[in-house]
Amino acid sequence: MPDNILQYLAPTHKPVARTDSEDHNPEYGSGNGGGNDMLDRIKVLEEKTSALAVDVAVLKETVATKESLHKELNSQTWKIVLALVITVLIAVLSKYFIR
C-alpha cells in the first residue's frame, strides 16, 4: 500500500481510500482551517445553537409531564364525582322536602 493513502472508515464500515491531496483543495480555501468563511459559519451555528437552547428551555416549561397529567386527571375526576354527588343529593332532598 502506498504511503500517501490514508484509510478512513465510512458509515458502511468499509475502508475508503483517500489521498493527501484531497485534504488541501484550493476550492476550500487551501486547507487553512476549513475554508475562508469558516468563522462566519461557526458564528451562525453558535447563534442557532443558542436559539435551540432557548427553545428547549421553553418546551421544558410548557410541555406537560406524565406526573402533571396524572395530577390533573385525578383533580378532574374528583370534581366530577363531587358534582354527581351534589346533583343526586339535590334530587333526593327535593323529592322529600319540596312538595
Side-chain angles (χ1 to χ4, degrees):
M1 181 179 294
D3 290 334
N4 65 349
I5 295 181
L6 302 174
Q7 295 293 325
Y8 293 94
L9 285 178
T12 59
H13 302 293
K14 295 179 182 177
V16 177
R18 207 171 144 182
T19 62
D20 289 332
S21 63
E22 289 177 347
D23 292 335
H24 300 287
N25 188 341
E27 182 181 339
Y28 299 110
S30 300
N32 62 352
N36 295 331
D37 62 343
M38 182 108 176
L39 293 178
D40 296 333
R41 292 185 297 172
I42 289 174
K43 195 177 295 183
V44 169
L45 286 174
E46 287 174 347
E47 290 170 0
K48 287 182 180 181
T49 303
S50 64
L52 283 174
V54 170
D55 291 345
V56 168
V58 168
L59 283 175
K60 282 184 179 180
E61 292 295 321
T62 58
V63 172
T65 62
K66 185 176 180 181
E67 180 181 334
S68 66
L69 288 175
H70 186 270
K71 198 180 290 187
E72 280 297 316
L73 183 62
N74 190 21
S75 171
Q76 285 181 354
T77 302
W78 281 110
K79 287 176 186 175
I80 291 171
V81 167
L82 183 62
L84 288 174
V85 167
I86 290 173
T87 303
V88 169
L89 279 174
I90 290 173
V92 168
L93 292 175
S94 68
K95 168 97 171 143
Y96 290 108
F97 294 109
I98 299 177
R99 290 184 185 223

